Amino acid sequence: MGCDHIVDFLVIGSGGGGMAAALTAADAGLNVLVVDKGKTFGGSTAISGGGVWIPNNPTLVRAGAGDAPESVLGYLQVITERRVPDERLRAYVEAGPLLMQLLDRSRWLKFFWVKGYADYHPELDGGRPLGRTIEAIPFDTRKLGDDERYQRPNSLKGPLGLWVTSKDYHDLAMVKRTWAGRRASLRAAWRVSSNVVRRRHMATGGRALVARLRMALKDAGVPLWLQSPMRELIADGPGRVIGAVIEHEGRSLRVRARHGVLLATGGFDHNATMRSEHLPEGAREDASAGAAENVGDGIRAGVALGAATDLMDDAWWMPSVRHPAGPVIPLVSERCIPPSVIVDATGRRFTNESAPYVNSVHDQLAGGHVPAWFVMDAKARARY
């Protein structure tokens, strides 16, 4: 094959999954390149909460919150309803901690346990009421240097540079109800003042995670090409991908990848045709909060070469509202404040408002309750 650029491993997509894979390959001694079609890096990870659910990672183990692998495997088997082959679940349970151990060696990738953020199904065998979610420690993005301007912004940026973690968010929501909430408000005020004095650009959640991953990539010498969309995969016979055609700086480059190509390109959130073809009725309108670049590029490229797909009718669902200004805002915790209720067009409840958000939307779509209404009284508004 004639080629313009040769690497060992090509990663297409710069979200959390793509950058973690690039670090893994670089740690194995491979020459790695990451490309992304967007003007900014981080994908949907950058605009997410950034929680990582990989049991037995070093952060949890150091806190004494490790698990028996068989317990984790049993939990995953139940919540996936046996739709995922056991060998894949076992690979996740066994290899996930190894990835986190690799990341833990980086001076940049530091996490904390969000203790009390329960597993989505703590009532099931293997579920944990205190949770196993970890988050990246808040990060001053000035350390990115020139790359700071290429980091994907978050539409929910706090006023005056206020930064909050998931733990802070939980407490601040109870500011009128608990002393923990009042203490959180004092911490928030201190952070705003501190940011002004120290001129920090603090990021939390997904933005902190991708910023830390980007710093680790820089340490590992892994280049990142932005505004560089994949146009097609290059195959050398059935099932053997050896590279991709990448648009970069106005040129169409044939990039050879000696040890493989990883498609980490997100879903098809903003592809109207694919939504209509695959998603259930009620979910076909584009109300996604995912990255605007998610139009199914990787999926379509794989299918064109005969790759299999599954679970195309499902998603990481969240009950959401569209702000009059345009952004889609997911209701993660607001759904379950007392006294409030979610009802359909007939005024009937159709879901448990305190259930995991994915379950709530499954109930909504299964019953055709689109749209739905979130009703609260004056007490709820005043208290929360």
Side-chain angles (χ1 to χ4, degrees), residues 338-339 376-384:
M376 73 180 85
D377 67 7
K379 182 188 294 185
R381 188 170 188 269
R383 286 185 172 184
Y384 302 100

Side-chain angles (χ1 to χ4, degrees), residues 185-209:
S185 69
L186 292 175
R187 285 197 303 272
W190 177 85
R191 287 172 181 172
V192 169
S193 302
S194 175
N195 284 344
V196 172
V197 173
R198 300 168 67 180
R199 299 182 180 179
R200 297 186 303 178
H201 302 164
M202 297 301 294
T204 60
R207 290 191 76 240
L209 176 57

